[in-house]
Amino acid sequence: DSGVTQTPKHLITATGQRVTLRCSPRSGDLSVYWYQQSLDQGLQFLIQYYNGEERAKGNILERFSAQQFPDLHSELNLSSLELGDSALYFCASSVEGGTSYEQYFGPGTRLTVT
Amino acid sequence: GEDVEQSLFLSVREGDSSVINCTYTDSSSTYLYWYKQEPGAGLQLLTYIFSNMDMKQDQRLTVLLNKKDKHLSLRIADTQTGDSAIYFCAESIPDKLIFGTGTRLQVFP
């Protein structure tokens, strides 16, 4: 158990819909990262927040957005969903914001878009 | 560019050593990581190596880094069935990790 929690574990929704994925980092970690894992794209970095502020952006679509709240939990919002958005979405956390710090991954949310 | 490559599959007999290889492209990477993903689970950090090191050993795991060739390897000694998983290498570049495609390790008795 990494100490990172994600909800829900599974999510099934229809194309065009909007969903929110939630992540609680390990106690004491200030930084949260979101990743997408799909069969065709592999594991891709989406976005990072550090202490409430966006720190880095990766291959995140404009239909996707995220935020980190004062209690440090984070939400990833996916809108206008398409079939290709079906994937595992992981959240990771680390103590600080740089990638020299170990990232601990949550169990993931499996999103299925039908 | 950002590209991390790994072979897709590796099959080894229980008790043998496994060697999983990875090549990366960004010479500015400061840390290189190995993660393990078991079926239905998230990624578990196994070990990492700082870019100015050649080797790091941690119990059954040995990481070798050839910075000149941008080649990273993970050796698992005395491989067990519980080591069956997908192994990802990742390079750190400012503010993000770039992951390889993952190598599926299958251990047979």
Side-chain angles (χ1 to χ4, degrees), chain A residues 37 56 99-100 102-103 105, chain B residues 31 33 37 43 48 92 96:
Chain A
Q37 186 179 33
T99 51
S100 57
E102 298 174 24
Q103 293 185 25
F105 280 72
Chain B
Y31 286 85
Y33 300 83
Q37 185 179 30
L43 277 76
Y48 62 92
S92 69
K96 58 181 175 178

Side-chain angles (χ1 to χ4, degrees), chain A residues 10-29:
Chain A
H10 302 277
L11 197 49
I12 301 174
T13 189
T15 53
Q17 295 298 304
R18 173 189 168 95
V19 297
T20 297
L21 313 184
R22 184 188 167 103
C23 168
S24 292
R26 289 189 323 155
S27 177
D29 284 359

Side-chain angles (χ1 to χ4, degrees), chain B residues 24-32 50-54 64-72:
Chain B
Y24 61 99
T25 55
D26 198 313
S27 57
S28 67
S29 297
T30 49
Y31 286 85
L32 295 127
F50 188 49
S51 58
N52 69 353
M53 295 169 65
D54 297 324
L64 294 178
L65 175 61
N66 181 329
K67 200 170 180 184
K68 174 176 167 287
D69 294 338
K70 299 189 184 69
H71 182 265
L72 181 73

Side-chain angles (χ1 to χ4, degrees), chain A residues 1-109:
Chain A
D1 185 355
S2 66
V4 179
T5 60
Q6 290 186 247
T7 56
K9 281 188 179 176
H10 302 277
L11 197 49
I12 301 174
T13 189
T15 53
Q17 295 298 304
R18 173 189 168 95
V19 297
T20 297
L21 313 184
R22 184 188 167 103
C23 168
S24 292
R26 289 189 323 155
S27 177
D29 284 359
L30 298 178
S31 202
V32 169
Y33 309 76
W34 285 98
Y35 293 87
Q36 179 194 58
Q37 186 179 33
S38 61
L39 281 175
D40 54 344
Q41 298 282 339
L43 191 60
Q44 301 242 343
F45 166 72
L46 295 178
I47 197 163
Q48 178 204 357
Y49 278 81
Y50 175 71
N51 205 19
E53 294 193 1
E54 184 182 305
R55 171 67 69 90
K57 246 181 178 176
N59 302 321
I60 187 165
L61 300 172
E62 284 191 14
R63 300 184 285 109
F64 296 0
S65 65
Q67 53 184 326
Q68 186 179 29
F69 295 86
D71 66 353
L72 302 176
H73 91 272
S74 178
E75 292 181 357
L76 178 68
N77 301 295
L78 315 176
S79 61
S80 302
L81 285 167
E82 301 174 0
L83 294 177
D85 297 327
S86 295
L88 260 175
Y89 291 85
F90 288 108
C91 163
S93 73
S94 67
V95 172
E96 295 283 348
T99 51
S100 57
Y101 295 92
E102 298 174 24
Q103 293 185 25
Y104 293 86
F105 280 72
T109 293

